[in-house]
Amino acid sequence: LKLIKLRWRLFYWTLIGKIKKLHTPFAIERDLNDKKKVLIFFPMNESAFKLSQYTFRKLGQKKINDYMFITKEEYRQKFQINVGKVLLINDAKSENMLSDEKLILNKLKDIEYDIIIDLNDEFHLGIGRLISQLPAKLKVGFAHKYSDRFYNLQLDFSKSEVLEKGFKQVDALLIS
């Protein structure tokens, strides 16, 4: 029943334009030094959040100029990255839209990010919907059943089943 509800929401939101389709082709450039704006959605799951904090602890040493991080409000005290700006969100169930989606869109609507990264290893419809409405050349996320709708670069760690490897792939993308 949950799967049917999820598929219906995806269909309905796509139909009314609340989830936009990816139309932009991209090429991964060898040098990301010219990239200036990166938006990163940190995981909603606490254990994945802690692992992501460890993996991205040296993010401030990268050559990218402008970071924006989105994380759950309850993780604010645990957030250890000291560069960029942090936007806090209230958690929503993974099959619903985010309760503060309009507020986030109002804050981010005039910014075009070069890269948007979703570090949630499990599908979160609210974050996917939000990402689909934000302009970016490159949208990165983990491969799952619906990821073709939201990301033009998908990371698949299903063979290794080690989330840290997926995070390290994203980190390598940022420093390549």
Side-chain angles (χ1 to χ4, degrees), residues 36-83:
K36 294 183 175 30
K37 297 187 184 298
V38 177
L39 174 63
I40 300 177
F41 286 83
F42 276 85
M44 295 287 125
N45 175 302
E46 188 171 8
S47 61
F49 174 80
K50 288 177 181 178
L51 181 60
S52 68
Q53 286 294 293
Y54 176 76
T55 305
F56 294 101
R57 67 190 178 279
K58 296 181 181 179
L59 199 60
Q61 299 170 1
K62 309 289 189 269
K63 296 179 181 179
I64 296 172
N65 298 338
D66 190 12
Y67 288 101
M68 172 68 79
F69 305 108
I70 297 182
T71 189
K72 277 175 64 172
E73 193 167 4
E74 68 183 74
Y75 299 155
R76 180 60 180 126
Q77 298 302 322
K78 300 174 186 176
F79 197 79
Q80 300 296 317
I81 299 173
N82 296 322
V83 297

mmCIF file of all heavy atoms in Angstrom, residues 36-83:
data_model
loop_
_atom_site.group_PDB
_atom_site.id
_atom_site.type_symbol
_atom_site.label_atom_id
_atom_site.label_comp_id
_atom_site.label_asym_id
_atom_site.label_seq_id
_atom_site.Cartn_x
_atom_site.Cartn_y
_atom_site.Cartn_z
ATOM 1 N N LYS A 36 31.591 27.078 -8.178
ATOM 2 C CA LYS A 36 31.526 28.011 -7.076
ATOM 3 C C LYS A 36 30.458 27.685 -6.037
ATOM 4 O O LYS A 36 30.628 27.944 -4.884
ATOM 5 C CB LYS A 36 31.293 29.411 -7.620
ATOM 6 C CG LYS A 36 32.465 29.913 -8.425
ATOM 7 C CD LYS A 36 32.221 31.319 -8.876
ATOM 8 C CE LYS A 36 33.362 31.967 -9.578
ATOM 9 N NZ LYS A 36 34.270 31.187 -10.328
ATOM 10 N N LYS A 37 29.359 27.103 -6.458
ATOM 11 C CA LYS A 37 28.248 26.908 -5.535
ATOM 12 C C LYS A 37 27.862 25.432 -5.451
ATOM 13 O O LYS A 37 27.544 24.813 -6.452
ATOM 14 C CB LYS A 37 27.046 27.727 -5.988
ATOM 15 C CG LYS A 37 27.312 29.226 -5.970
ATOM 16 C CD LYS A 37 26.061 29.994 -6.258
ATOM 17 C CE LYS A 37 26.308 31.469 -6.343
ATOM 18 N NZ LYS A 37 26.809 32.087 -5.159
ATOM 19 N N VAL A 38 27.883 24.919 -4.220
ATOM 20 C CA VAL A 38 27.546 23.520 -3.972
ATOM 21 C C VAL A 38 26.513 23.472 -2.851
ATOM 22 O O VAL A 38 26.688 24.087 -1.806
ATOM 23 C CB VAL A 38 28.796 22.705 -3.565
ATOM 24 C CG1 VAL A 38 28.415 21.268 -3.240
ATOM 25 C CG2 VAL A 38 29.845 22.749 -4.655
ATOM 26 N N LEU A 39 25.428 22.736 -3.094
ATOM 27 C CA LEU A 39 24.377 22.530 -2.099
ATOM 28 C C LEU A 39 24.393 21.056 -1.719
ATOM 29 O O LEU A 39 24.317 20.185 -2.591
ATOM 30 C CB LEU A 39 23.010 22.908 -2.682
ATOM 31 C CG LEU A 39 21.786 22.623 -1.827
ATOM 32 C CD1 LEU A 39 21.816 23.434 -0.538
ATOM 33 C CD2 LEU A 39 20.511 22.915 -2.607
ATOM 34 N N ILE A 40 24.512 20.773 -0.422
ATOM 35 C CA ILE A 40 24.588 19.390 0.049
ATOM 36 C C ILE A 40 23.473 19.133 1.061
ATOM 37 O O ILE A 40 23.365 19.837 2.063
ATOM 38 C CB ILE A 40 25.959 19.085 0.694
ATOM 39 C CG1 ILE A 40 27.087 19.296 -0.327
ATOM 40 C CG2 ILE A 40 25.980 17.657 1.240
ATOM 41 C CD1 ILE A 40 28.482 19.094 0.227
ATOM 42 N N PHE A 41 22.663 18.101 0.776
ATOM 43 C CA PHE A 41 21.632 17.637 1.702
ATOM 44 C C PHE A 41 22.233 16.510 2.525
ATOM 45 O O PHE A 41 22.598 15.472 1.977
ATOM 46 C CB PHE A 41 20.416 17.097 0.937
ATOM 47 C CG PHE A 41 19.575 18.159 0.304
ATOM 48 C CD1 PHE A 41 19.922 18.692 -0.925
ATOM 49 C CD2 PHE A 41 18.437 18.622 0.941
ATOM 50 C CE1 PHE A 41 19.144 19.660 -1.518
ATOM 51 C CE2 PHE A 41 17.661 19.602 0.357
ATOM 52 C CZ PHE A 41 18.015 20.129 -0.879
ATOM 53 N N PHE A 42 22.354 16.716 3.819
ATOM 54 C CA PHE A 42 22.905 15.677 4.687
ATOM 55 C C PHE A 42 21.810 14.661 5.035
ATOM 56 O O PHE A 42 20.623 14.977 5.001
ATOM 57 C CB PHE A 42 23.529 16.299 5.940
ATOM 58 C CG PHE A 42 24.933 16.748 5.693
ATOM 59 C CD1 PHE A 42 25.186 17.995 5.153
ATOM 60 C CD2 PHE A 42 25.994 15.911 5.949
ATOM 61 C CE1 PHE A 42 26.478 18.402 4.879
ATOM 62 C CE2 PHE A 42 27.293 16.299 5.680
ATOM 63 C CZ PHE A 42 27.537 17.551 5.148
ATOM 64 N N PRO A 43 22.216 13.439 5.373
ATOM 65 C CA PRO A 43 21.244 12.357 5.611
ATOM 66 C C PRO A 43 20.279 12.647 6.757
ATOM 67 O O PRO A 43 20.630 13.297 7.737
ATOM 68 C CB PRO A 43 22.123 11.154 5.957
ATOM 69 C CG PRO A 43 23.456 11.458 5.394
ATOM 70 C CD PRO A 43 23.596 12.950 5.466
ATOM 71 N N MET A 44 19.072 12.127 6.609
ATOM 72 C CA MET A 44 18.047 12.229 7.648
ATOM 73 C C MET A 44 18.258 11.171 8.718
ATOM 74 O O MET A 44 17.848 11.348 9.854
ATOM 75 C CB MET A 44 16.644 12.046 7.044
ATOM 76 C CG MET A 44 16.233 13.122 6.071
ATOM 77 S SD MET A 44 15.841 14.664 6.912
ATOM 78 C CE MET A 44 16.934 15.773 6.073
ATOM 79 N N ASN A 45 18.906 10.076 8.364
ATOM 80 C CA ASN A 45 19.192 8.981 9.285
ATOM 81 C C ASN A 45 20.393 9.361 10.151
ATOM 82 O O ASN A 45 21.420 9.798 9.633
ATOM 83 C CB ASN A 45 19.482 7.722 8.456
ATOM 84 C CG ASN A 45 19.900 6.553 9.277
ATOM 85 O OD1 ASN A 45 20.885 6.616 10.011
ATOM 86 N ND2 ASN A 45 19.177 5.465 9.146
ATOM 87 N N GLU A 46 20.284 9.185 11.470
ATOM 88 C CA GLU A 46 21.336 9.645 12.380
ATOM 89 C C GLU A 46 22.673 8.937 12.172
ATOM 90 O O GLU A 46 23.722 9.568 12.174
ATOM 91 C CB GLU A 46 20.903 9.514 13.834
ATOM 92 C CG GLU A 46 21.897 10.150 14.782
ATOM 93 C CD GLU A 46 21.406 10.227 16.215
ATOM 94 O OE1 GLU A 46 20.351 9.663 16.537
ATOM 95 O OE2 GLU A 46 22.106 10.870 17.021
ATOM 96 N N SER A 47 22.662 7.630 11.997
ATOM 97 C CA SER A 47 23.938 6.926 11.813
ATOM 98 C C SER A 47 24.605 7.334 10.500
ATOM 99 O O SER A 47 25.826 7.508 10.450
ATOM 100 C CB SER A 47 23.747 5.411 11.879
ATOM 101 O OG SER A 47 22.890 4.970 10.858
ATOM 102 N N ALA A 48 23.823 7.516 9.437
ATOM 103 C CA ALA A 48 24.382 7.981 8.158
ATOM 104 C C ALA A 48 24.873 9.420 8.289
ATOM 105 O O ALA A 48 25.891 9.794 7.703
ATOM 106 C CB ALA A 48 23.345 7.867 7.052
ATOM 107 N N PHE A 49 24.172 10.232 9.081
ATOM 108 C CA PHE A 49 24.606 11.606 9.308
ATOM 109 C C PHE A 49 25.979 11.634 9.989
ATOM 110 O O PHE A 49 26.877 12.374 9.575
ATOM 111 C CB PHE A 49 23.586 12.365 10.160
ATOM 112 C CG PHE A 49 24.044 13.737 10.548
ATOM 113 C CD1 PHE A 49 23.958 14.792 9.655
ATOM 114 C CD2 PHE A 49 24.592 13.967 11.796
ATOM 115 C CE1 PHE A 49 24.402 16.061 10.001
ATOM 116 C CE2 PHE A 49 25.045 15.229 12.158
ATOM 117 C CZ PHE A 49 24.944 16.283 11.255
ATOM 118 N N LYS A 50 26.147 10.828 11.026
ATOM 119 C CA LYS A 50 27.435 10.788 11.731
ATOM 120 C C LYS A 50 28.559 10.342 10.802
ATOM 121 O O LYS A 50 29.654 10.916 10.825
ATOM 122 C CB LYS A 50 27.349 9.844 12.937
ATOM 123 C CG LYS A 50 26.517 10.386 14.071
ATOM 124 C CD LYS A 50 26.411 9.379 15.199
ATOM 125 C CE LYS A 50 25.550 9.894 16.329
ATOM 126 N NZ LYS A 50 25.411 8.898 17.409
ATOM 127 N N LEU A 51 28.291 9.353 9.973
ATOM 128 C CA LEU A 51 29.283 8.873 9.020
ATOM 129 C C LEU A 51 29.625 9.955 7.997
ATOM 130 O O LEU A 51 30.794 10.153 7.653
ATOM 131 C CB LEU A 51 28.773 7.619 8.309
ATOM 132 C CG LEU A 51 29.711 6.981 7.301
ATOM 133 C CD1 LEU A 51 31.016 6.552 7.960
ATOM 134 C CD2 LEU A 51 29.014 5.790 6.648
ATOM 135 N N SER A 52 28.623 10.695 7.535
ATOM 136 C CA SER A 52 28.877 11.767 6.569
ATOM 137 C C SER A 52 29.709 12.886 7.201
ATOM 138 O O SER A 52 30.562 13.473 6.537
ATOM 139 C CB SER A 52 27.569 12.322 6.020
ATOM 140 O OG SER A 52 26.839 13.007 7.009
ATOM 141 N N GLN A 53 29.484 13.174 8.466
ATOM 142 C CA GLN A 53 30.275 14.200 9.153
ATOM 143 C C GLN A 53 31.752 13.800 9.181
ATOM 144 O O GLN A 53 32.624 14.630 8.972
ATOM 145 C CB GLN A 53 29.765 14.401 10.584
ATOM 146 C CG GLN A 53 28.476 15.146 10.659
ATOM 147 C CD GLN A 53 28.628 16.572 10.197
ATOM 148 O OE1 GLN A 53 29.297 17.389 10.824
ATOM 149 N NE2 GLN A 53 28.039 16.874 9.065
ATOM 150 N N TYR A 54 32.011 12.534 9.442
ATOM 151 C CA TYR A 54 33.388 12.051 9.466
ATOM 152 C C TYR A 54 34.010 12.116 8.063
ATOM 153 O O TYR A 54 35.132 12.588 7.898
ATOM 154 C CB TYR A 54 33.436 10.623 10.007
ATOM 155 C CG TYR A 54 34.823 10.048 9.969
ATOM 156 C CD1 TYR A 54 35.782 10.434 10.903
ATOM 157 C CD2 TYR A 54 35.193 9.141 8.981
ATOM 158 C CE1 TYR A 54 37.069 9.927 10.854
ATOM 159 C CE2 TYR A 54 36.476 8.623 8.938
ATOM 160 C CZ TYR A 54 37.415 9.021 9.867
ATOM 161 O OH TYR A 54 38.695 8.527 9.819
ATOM 162 N N THR A 55 33.269 11.668 7.064
ATOM 163 C CA THR A 55 33.798 11.619 5.696
ATOM 164 C C THR A 55 34.091 13.012 5.151
ATOM 165 O O THR A 55 35.097 13.224 4.475
ATOM 166 C CB THR A 55 32.804 10.902 4.760
ATOM 167 O OG1 THR A 55 32.518 9.611 5.296
ATOM 168 C CG2 THR A 55 33.374 10.751 3.366
ATOM 169 N N PHE A 56 33.239 13.985 5.449
ATOM 170 C CA PHE A 56 33.387 15.331 4.883
ATOM 171 C C PHE A 56 34.025 16.315 5.859
ATOM 172 O O PHE A 56 33.899 17.521 5.702
ATOM 173 C CB PHE A 56 32.026 15.854 4.428
ATOM 174 C CG PHE A 56 31.459 15.074 3.282
ATOM 175 C CD1 PHE A 56 30.486 14.122 3.494
ATOM 176 C CD2 PHE A 56 31.928 15.270 2.003
ATOM 177 C CE1 PHE A 56 29.975 13.383 2.443
ATOM 178 C CE2 PHE A 56 31.424 14.546 0.940
ATOM 179 C CZ PHE A 56 30.451 13.597 1.166
ATOM 180 N N ARG A 57 34.765 15.816 6.842
ATOM 181 C CA ARG A 57 35.361 16.688 7.863
ATOM 182 C C ARG A 57 36.374 17.670 7.283
ATOM 183 O O ARG A 57 36.601 18.733 7.836
ATOM 184 C CB ARG A 57 35.982 15.847 8.965
ATOM 185 C CG ARG A 57 37.189 15.045 8.545
ATOM 186 C CD ARG A 57 37.633 14.039 9.593
ATOM 187 N NE ARG A 57 38.761 13.242 9.170
ATOM 188 C CZ ARG A 57 38.701 12.188 8.386
ATOM 189 N NH1 ARG A 57 37.528 11.789 7.936
ATOM 190 N NH2 ARG A 57 39.785 11.533 8.041
ATOM 191 N N LYS A 58 36.990 17.357 6.146
ATOM 192 C CA LYS A 58 37.994 18.238 5.542
ATOM 193 C C LYS A 58 37.437 19.036 4.371
ATOM 194 O O LYS A 58 38.190 19.564 3.564
ATOM 195 C CB LYS A 58 39.192 17.411 5.068
ATOM 196 C CG LYS A 58 39.917 16.727 6.201
ATOM 197 C CD LYS A 58 41.096 15.950 5.701
ATOM 198 C CE LYS A 58 41.797 15.259 6.869
ATOM 199 N NZ LYS A 58 42.936 14.472 6.422
ATOM 200 N N LEU A 59 36.135 19.164 4.316
ATOM 201 C CA LEU A 59 35.489 19.828 3.195
ATOM 202 C C LEU A 59 35.916 21.284 3.050
ATOM 203 O O LEU A 59 35.998 21.802 1.945
ATOM 204 C CB LEU A 59 33.966 19.742 3.350
ATOM 205 C CG LEU A 59 33.131 19.968 2.118
ATOM 206 C CD1 LEU A 59 33.461 18.963 1.038
ATOM 207 C CD2 LEU A 59 31.661 19.868 2.467
ATOM 208 N N GLY A 60 36.223 21.940 4.124
ATOM 209 C CA GLY A 60 36.630 23.338 4.083
ATOM 210 C C GLY A 60 37.951 23.571 3.377
ATOM 211 O O GLY A 60 38.278 24.690 3.003
ATOM 212 N N GLN A 61 38.721 22.521 3.166
ATOM 213 C CA GLN A 61 40.016 22.661 2.498
ATOM 214 C C GLN A 61 39.903 22.561 0.984
ATOM 215 O O GLN A 61 40.879 22.729 0.277
ATOM 216 C CB GLN A 61 40.970 21.581 3.018
ATOM 217 C CG GLN A 61 41.211 21.695 4.499
ATOM 218 C CD GLN A 61 41.959 20.489 5.048
ATOM 219 O OE1 GLN A 61 42.322 19.581 4.328
ATOM 220 N NE2 GLN A 61 42.173 20.500 6.356
ATOM 221 N N LYS A 62 38.696 22.281 0.463
ATOM 222 C CA LYS A 62 38.495 22.163 -0.971
ATOM 223 C C LYS A 62 38.543 23.540 -1.617
ATOM 224 O O LYS A 62 38.410 24.561 -0.962
ATOM 225 C CB LYS A 62 37.148 21.498 -1.278
ATOM 226 C CG LYS A 62 36.907 20.200 -0.543
ATOM 227 C CD LYS A 62 37.772 19.090 -1.052
ATOM 228 C CE LYS A 62 37.369 17.766 -0.450
ATOM 229 N NZ LYS A 62 38.009 17.363 0.735
ATOM 230 N N LYS A 63 38.701 23.559 -2.931
ATOM 231 C CA LYS A 63 38.840 24.814 -3.671
ATOM 232 C C LYS A 63 37.506 25.401 -4.103
ATOM 233 O O LYS A 63 37.464 26.323 -4.889
ATOM 234 C CB LYS A 63 39.722 24.586 -4.892
ATOM 235 C CG LYS A 63 41.128 24.210 -4.532
ATOM 236 C CD LYS A 63 41.953 23.978 -5.757
ATOM 237 C CE LYS A 63 43.373 23.585 -5.342
ATOM 238 N NZ LYS A 63 44.221 23.332 -6.487
ATOM 239 N N ILE A 64 36.418 24.870 -3.617
ATOM 240 C CA ILE A 64 35.099 25.380 -3.974
ATOM 241 C C ILE A 64 34.785 26.560 -3.062
ATOM 242 O O ILE A 64 35.038 26.528 -1.872
ATOM 243 C CB ILE A 64 34.047 24.267 -3.860
ATOM 244 C CG1 ILE A 64 34.382 23.178 -4.881
ATOM 245 C CG2 ILE A 64 32.651 24.801 -4.079
ATOM 246 C CD1 ILE A 64 33.560 21.935 -4.763
ATOM 247 N N ASN A 65 34.232 27.603 -3.639
ATOM 248 C CA ASN A 65 34.059 28.847 -2.904
ATOM 249 C C ASN A 65 32.844 28.900 -1.986
ATOM 250 O O ASN A 65 32.906 29.465 -0.917
ATOM 251 C CB ASN A 65 33.958 30.010 -3.894
ATOM 252 C CG ASN A 65 35.211 30.164 -4.707
ATOM 253 O OD1 ASN A 65 36.280 29.722 -4.317
ATOM 254 N ND2 ASN A 65 35.085 30.773 -5.859
ATOM 255 N N ASP A 66 31.719 28.362 -2.411
ATOM 256 C CA ASP A 66 30.473 28.623 -1.709
ATOM 257 C C ASP A 66 29.702 27.330 -1.441
ATOM 258 O O ASP A 66 29.262 26.665 -2.371
ATOM 259 C CB ASP A 66 29.626 29.581 -2.554
ATOM 260 C CG ASP A 66 28.431 30.110 -1.803
ATOM 261 O OD1 ASP A 66 28.359 29.928 -0.579
ATOM 262 O OD2 ASP A 66 27.550 30.704 -2.445
ATOM 263 N N TYR A 67 29.552 26.992 -0.176
ATOM 264 C CA TYR A 67 28.801 25.815 0.228
ATOM 265 C C TYR A 67 27.519 26.231 0.933
ATOM 266 O O TYR A 67 27.506 27.181 1.707
ATOM 267 C CB TYR A 67 29.586 24.961 1.230
ATOM 268 C CG TYR A 67 30.749 24.204 0.650
ATOM 269 C CD1 TYR A 67 32.041 24.675 0.811
ATOM 270 C CD2 TYR A 67 30.554 23.008 -0.020
ATOM 271 C CE1 TYR A 67 33.114 23.963 0.311
ATOM 272 C CE2 TYR A 67 31.618 22.296 -0.524
ATOM 273 C CZ TYR A 67 32.899 22.777 -0.361
ATOM 274 O OH TYR A 67 33.946 22.078 -0.854
ATOM 275 N N MET A 68 26.466 25.456 0.694
ATOM 276 C CA MET A 68 25.237 25.557 1.471
ATOM 277 C C MET A 68 24.908 24.133 1.895
ATOM 278 O O MET A 68 24.909 23.217 1.065
ATOM 279 C CB MET A 68 24.093 26.134 0.640
ATOM 280 C CG MET A 68 22.741 26.085 1.320
ATOM 281 S SD MET A 68 22.576 27.164 2.754
ATOM 282 C CE MET A 68 22.311 28.716 1.956
ATOM 283 N N PHE A 69 24.670 23.953 3.186
ATOM 284 C CA PHE A 69 24.352 22.638 3.719
ATOM 285 C C PHE A 69 22.927 22.645 4.251
ATOM 286 O O PHE A 69 22.515 23.606 4.892
ATOM 287 C CB PHE A 69 25.303 22.270 4.860
ATOM 288 C CG PHE A 69 26.748 22.348 4.479
ATOM 289 C CD1 PHE A 69 27.544 23.378 4.969
ATOM 290 C CD2 PHE A 69 27.315 21.417 3.627
ATOM 291 C CE1 PHE A 69 28.882 23.455 4.625
ATOM 292 C CE2 PHE A 69 28.651 21.490 3.274
ATOM 293 C CZ PHE A 69 29.442 22.515 3.778
ATOM 294 N N ILE A 70 22.207 21.570 4.008
ATOM 295 C CA ILE A 70 20.867 21.413 4.560
ATOM 296 C C ILE A 70 20.874 20.161 5.422
ATOM 297 O O ILE A 70 21.252 19.084 4.971
ATOM 298 C CB ILE A 70 19.805 21.322 3.452
ATOM 299 C CG1 ILE A 70 19.800 22.637 2.654
ATOM 300 C CG2 ILE A 70 18.433 21.039 4.039
ATOM 301 C CD1 ILE A 70 18.767 22.719 1.567
ATOM 302 N N THR A 71 20.482 20.339 6.675
ATOM 303 C CA THR A 71 20.479 19.226 7.617
ATOM 304 C C THR A 71 19.279 19.353 8.551
ATOM 305 O O THR A 71 18.649 20.415 8.635
ATOM 306 C CB THR A 71 21.803 19.180 8.413
ATOM 307 O OG1 THR A 71 21.858 17.975 9.155
ATOM 308 C CG2 THR A 71 21.956 20.368 9.335
ATOM 309 N N LYS A 72 18.984 18.276 9.251
ATOM 310 C CA LYS A 72 17.892 18.291 10.208
ATOM 311 C C LYS A 72 18.236 19.211 11.381
ATOM 312 O O LYS A 72 19.376 19.274 11.815
ATOM 313 C CB LYS A 72 17.645 16.880 10.751
ATOM 314 C CG LYS A 72 16.777 16.036 9.868
ATOM 315 C CD LYS A 72 16.641 14.622 10.354
ATOM 316 C CE LYS A 72 15.970 14.455 11.662
ATOM 317 N NZ LYS A 72 15.686 13.041 12.000
ATOM 318 N N GLU A 73 17.230 19.867 11.878
ATOM 319 C CA GLU A 73 17.414 20.789 12.992
ATOM 320 C C GLU A 73 17.989 20.086 14.228
ATOM 321 O O GLU A 73 18.827 20.648 14.931
ATOM 322 C CB GLU A 73 16.079 21.447 13.333
ATOM 323 C CG GLU A 73 16.214 22.620 14.246
ATOM 324 C CD GLU A 73 14.939 23.441 14.319
ATOM 325 O OE1 GLU A 73 13.927 23.051 13.725
ATOM 326 O OE2 GLU A 73 14.981 24.471 14.991
ATOM 327 N N GLU A 74 17.593 18.857 14.469
ATOM 328 C CA GLU A 74 18.075 18.154 15.659
ATOM 329 C C GLU A 74 19.552 17.780 15.564
ATOM 330 O O GLU A 74 20.171 17.443 16.559
ATOM 331 C CB GLU A 74 17.235 16.911 15.940
ATOM 332 C CG GLU A 74 17.371 15.809 14.936
ATOM 333 C CD GLU A 74 16.462 14.641 15.242
ATOM 334 O OE1 GLU A 74 15.246 14.764 15.025
ATOM 335 O OE2 GLU A 74 16.977 13.603 15.708
ATOM 336 N N TYR A 75 20.160 17.857 14.361
ATOM 337 C CA TYR A 75 21.582 17.547 14.186
ATOM 338 C C TYR A 75 22.460 18.798 14.218
ATOM 339 O O TYR A 75 23.665 18.709 14.061
ATOM 340 C CB TYR A 75 21.829 16.823 12.863
ATOM 341 C CG TYR A 75 21.115 15.504 12.716
ATOM 342 C CD1 TYR A 75 20.826 15.010 11.456
ATOM 343 C CD2 TYR A 75 20.738 14.745 13.809
ATOM 344 C CE1 TYR A 75 20.174 13.796 11.293
ATOM 345 C CE2 TYR A 75 20.085 13.535 13.657
ATOM 346 C CZ TYR A 75 19.809 13.074 12.395
ATOM 347 O OH TYR A 75 19.172 11.875 12.235
ATOM 348 N N ARG A 76 21.891 19.954 14.426
ATOM 349 C CA ARG A 76 22.657 21.207 14.360
ATOM 350 C C ARG A 76 23.843 21.219 15.320
ATOM 351 O O ARG A 76 24.938 21.650 14.962
ATOM 352 C CB ARG A 76 21.750 22.413 14.637
ATOM 353 C CG ARG A 76 22.473 23.749 14.597
ATOM 354 C CD ARG A 76 23.094 23.962 13.227
ATOM 355 N NE ARG A 76 23.796 25.223 13.155
ATOM 356 C CZ ARG A 76 25.064 25.339 12.774
ATOM 357 N NH1 ARG A 76 25.762 24.277 12.444
ATOM 358 N NH2 ARG A 76 25.642 26.507 12.711
ATOM 359 N N GLN A 77 23.648 20.743 16.516
ATOM 360 C CA GLN A 77 24.740 20.755 17.493
ATOM 361 C C GLN A 77 25.842 19.766 17.120
ATOM 362 O O GLN A 77 26.985 19.924 17.530
ATOM 363 C CB GLN A 77 24.198 20.421 18.891
ATOM 364 C CG GLN A 77 23.186 21.421 19.407
ATOM 365 C CD GLN A 77 23.727 22.831 19.473
ATOM 366 O OE1 GLN A 77 24.879 23.041 19.810
ATOM 367 N NE2 GLN A 77 22.899 23.807 19.132
ATOM 368 N N LYS A 78 25.509 18.751 16.326
ATOM 369 C CA LYS A 78 26.485 17.748 15.909
ATOM 370 C C LYS A 78 27.168 18.103 14.594
ATOM 371 O O LYS A 78 28.088 17.412 14.175
ATOM 372 C CB LYS A 78 25.790 16.389 15.749
ATOM 373 C CG LYS A 78 25.151 15.885 17.021
ATOM 374 C CD LYS A 78 24.359 14.630 16.759
ATOM 375 C CE LYS A 78 23.593 14.225 18.011
ATOM 376 N NZ LYS A 78 22.732 13.070 17.766
ATOM 377 N N PHE A 79 26.712 19.161 13.943
ATOM 378 C CA PHE A 79 27.250 19.544 12.635
ATOM 379 C C PHE A 79 28.637 20.145 12.813
ATOM 380 O O PHE A 79 28.790 21.168 13.482
ATOM 381 C CB PHE A 79 26.305 20.543 11.951
ATOM 382 C CG PHE A 79 26.543 20.686 10.488
ATOM 383 C CD1 PHE A 79 26.069 19.737 9.603
ATOM 384 C CD2 PHE A 79 27.254 21.754 9.983
ATOM 385 C CE1 PHE A 79 26.270 19.851 8.250
ATOM 386 C CE2 PHE A 79 27.475 21.882 8.635
ATOM 387 C CZ PHE A 79 26.981 20.925 7.758
ATOM 388 N N GLN A 80 29.651 19.519 12.231
ATOM 389 C CA GLN A 80 31.044 19.884 12.503
ATOM 390 C C GLN A 80 31.760 20.591 11.359
ATOM 391 O O GLN A 80 32.940 20.891 11.484
ATOM 392 C CB GLN A 80 31.830 18.623 12.875
ATOM 393 C CG GLN A 80 31.303 17.902 14.090
ATOM 394 C CD GLN A 80 31.404 18.741 15.349
ATOM 395 O OE1 GLN A 80 32.416 19.400 15.581
ATOM 396 N NE2 GLN A 80 30.374 18.736 16.156
ATOM 397 N N ILE A 81 31.107 20.833 10.243
ATOM 398 C CA ILE A 81 31.775 21.465 9.104
ATOM 399 C C ILE A 81 31.716 22.978 9.295
ATOM 400 O O ILE A 81 30.650 23.548 9.485
ATOM 401 C CB ILE A 81 31.120 21.021 7.784
ATOM 402 C CG1 ILE A 81 31.254 19.507 7.654
ATOM 403 C CG2 ILE A 81 31.766 21.729 6.605
ATOM 404 C CD1 ILE A 81 30.519 18.907 6.485
ATOM 405 N N ASN A 82 32.865 23.613 9.251
ATOM 406 C CA ASN A 82 32.968 25.027 9.616
ATOM 407 C C ASN A 82 33.068 25.975 8.430
ATOM 408 O O ASN A 82 33.595 27.075 8.572
ATOM 409 C CB ASN A 82 34.176 25.233 10.538
ATOM 410 C CG ASN A 82 34.006 24.496 11.840
ATOM 411 O OD1 ASN A 82 32.912 24.435 12.385
ATOM 412 N ND2 ASN A 82 35.078 23.906 12.331
ATOM 413 N N VAL A 83 32.617 25.569 7.273
ATOM 414 C CA VAL A 83 32.585 26.462 6.117
ATOM 415 C C VAL A 83 31.150 26.557 5.618
ATOM 416 O O VAL A 83 30.308 25.742 5.959
ATOM 417 C CB VAL A 83 33.496 25.960 4.964
ATOM 418 C CG1 VAL A 83 34.939 25.925 5.382
ATOM 419 C CG2 VAL A 83 33.040 24.617 4.458
#
